[in-house]
Amino acid sequence: MLVPKSDFVGLEGVVHLVAGGETPMLQRHAAAYARFAADKATGLPGRVLFEEARGRVRQRLASMLGMQPGDIALVGSSSEAIGQVISSIAWQPGDNVVVAEHEFPSGLFALARLRDLGVELRLIAPRDHYLEVDDLIERCDGRTRLVYVSHVSFRTGQRVDVARLADGIHARGGALLLDATHALGVVPVPGDLCDFVVCSGYKWLLATHQGILAWNRRRQPDLRPLGVGWRSGDEASDPAAIYALHADATRVEVGNPNHLDVYILESALDYLAEVGIDRIAAYVLDLGGRLRTGLVALGLQVTTPESAAERAGNICFAHPRSVQLAERALARGMQIWGGDGRMRLSVHLYVTQQDVDDVLAALPGLLAEVEG
Ligand SMILES: Cc1ncc(COP(=O)(O)O)c(C=O)c1O
């Protein structure tokens, strides 16, 4: 056990393996609500406090990603962040984008939408559920503008080698948009190697529903999203220009971030920092490895790679009746994610060896129920 389940609301006695969907609520978030309520209650001075909280969160996120606080924007969702990045590129017919067929829909759909602008969508087929980084790189050429890749797959749990990926894409002149939603909070994420990083708050980061956009200003000095609002800039000195974008990533924040979510994110990041990402990663890779071995021993078609370097917290196996299997598991008090033809068992810092043993012991019976 890395942390006590009592750090979370209602987690004791629950086998919670759905961090890839929704993590439980930290007890300490109640104090974050209360702080927000007290700050809001002060009226105008509260707005200064909101910005101070946002500044601390940007600092923490920047240090987790190896980036600078000014690179970080807080937006409504990671899907919205993807849209802001895509909207900032002046697409020309004949440009292309590269994405794996089994990628998360928000990136896949957003890139597919570009076909209406004459942009070629280059889809990479996984090989037996495994994404070969070289397959992605080889499809990049002089007209590749953007490659969208999840650091850790929501579907298979595979963790890609970001350094190799970024090198290959950059050597061909493309930009890497990394989705760190299943990575940040559980394994180190080298954001500084990417052009853009997006992440959601409500999964491995243990916070609530907001998005993070990290813009690597060293690699991409200009970012001109189509979404622009009062918060993105100031009035321009030249009246004809109307507005001048802020120099930092605040330019993608069209309006106020949801400040309550920012307070909760700060509370979550404090907690993660107290435990330490390296300790979390070591714990999760060890326990996840044992879970994976148990699933293989049950004869299941495990799609998550064996090597610790190629996985994080999501351990997945293909199953045609995954929705029914998840329902049966839930009826026995075990939360497991089922859907998209696979089961996903997510190991985060609050999951125990006992949880893993319990689920491995229950699975043969559950499988017999849905297969029988
Ligand atoms: C990889 C990935 N990216 C993005 C999202 C969506 O996040 P949001 O609701 O913040 O857009 C998810 C949700 O499951 C996800 O798995």
Side-chain angles (χ1 to χ4, degrees), residues 20 76-80 82 104 106 148 150 152 154 179 181-182 199-203 210-211 344:
S77 67
S78 60
S79 305
E80 188 185 313
I82 292 169
F104 187 72
S106 292
Y148 167 80
S150 289
V152 175
F154 84 108
D179 190 328
T181 297
H182 291 269
C199 186
S200 300
Y202 59 98
K203 301 178 188 282
Q210 70 176 314
R344 181 178 66 205

Side-chain angles (χ1 to χ4, degrees), residues 52 145 151 154 164 196 250 285 312 351 353:
E52 286 174 3
R145 306 295 301 276
H151 190 178
F154 84 108
R164 205 168 116 224
F196 307 99
T250 309
L285 294 176
V351 174
Q353 177 69 54

Side-chain angles (χ1 to χ4, degrees), residues 228-246:
V228 170
W230 69 265
R231 200 172 164 89
S232 314
D234 294 313
E235 261 179 38
S237 48
D238 168 9
I242 302 182
Y243 70 93
L245 289 172
H246 290 310

